[in-house]
Amino acid sequence: MNFTSSAAAHLPLPGWTYVPGETADAEADYETLGHAKALVPAQFVGFVPTRHPALRYGMALNDAGYFWESQQVLEAVWAAAPQGGRERLLLRACIQIAGANLKLRMRKPNATLRLWGEALTGISELLARRSAASGGFADRFPAVQLAKVLQTRLAQEGLAKADWIAFGSL
């Protein structure tokens, strides 16, 4: 990932994957997550920039398999996104996908399918909304491609841990 901020570029990926309830001997890297979340402004004006370092880091965490950590960072970006905006829809879908990926790792296929279904509903709503071409995250993200990946996974018979969805590399 190419980060536009040297602060985000130097944030390391965690040394282990944190899985709530399963990683009892290891805790999440709260210090690094705190640094990433500190990059998020109190409120984005108009839209969430595609190249914002916290957004890019949250997406990179998901694609590297750090699903819980990805959720934490993306939730901070979501909270600062403009109310009622398209970015909030897409960020919520990304958070749900990261959550579904975590549930898949925890061998909870029903929860995985439910969250992927909710993410697909959010992306469908995003695609139905007209864009004012702000140049933000929702305008530049390949939402159609992600919707197709979700549809494929939802139709798939039997899920394995390896069936998680990466969205930052789309």
Side-chain angles (χ1 to χ4, degrees), residues 11-33:
L11 289 174
L13 290 175
W16 63 88
T17 303
Y18 179 67
V19 180
E22 291 184 17
T23 325
D25 58 333
E27 287 204 18
D29 185 356
Y30 292 107
E31 183 179 347
T32 302
L33 292 176

Side-chain angles (χ1 to χ4, degrees), residues 3-135:
F3 295 99
T4 58
S5 167
S6 60
H10 293 99
L11 289 174
L13 290 175
W16 63 88
T17 303
Y18 179 67
V19 180
E22 291 184 17
T23 325
D25 58 333
E27 287 204 18
D29 185 356
Y30 292 107
E31 183 179 347
T32 302
L33 292 176
H35 291 300
K37 291 194 266 187
L39 297 171
V40 179
Q43 188 71 39
F44 286 103
V45 178
F47 59 89
V48 176
T50 302
R51 312 262 328 133
H52 191 276
L55 172 63
R56 305 296 287 180
Y57 186 63
M59 293 170 65
L61 284 168
N62 178 78
D63 287 5
Y66 299 99
F67 309 126
W68 183 86
E69 293 84 351
S70 174
Q71 283 181 285
Q72 297 301 303
V73 174
L74 292 176
E75 284 173 358
V77 176
W78 175 86
Q83 294 290 323
R86 296 176 74 237
E87 274 83 11
R88 282 182 79 91
L89 288 172
L90 181 54
L91 284 162
R92 183 167 186 248
C94 290
I95 292 164
Q96 289 168 324
I97 292 168
N101 290 341
L102 179 61
K103 296 295 184 190
L104 186 62
R105 176 172 289 147
M106 296 168 74
R107 295 180 186 91
K108 296 183 178 187
N110 292 336
T112 300
L113 293 171
R114 179 184 52 80
L115 286 166
W116 280 344
E118 290 174 9
L120 182 58
T121 299
I123 290 172
S124 297
E125 185 179 340
L126 167 76
L127 293 171
R129 284 193 185 184
R130 291 185 155 247
S131 170
S134 65

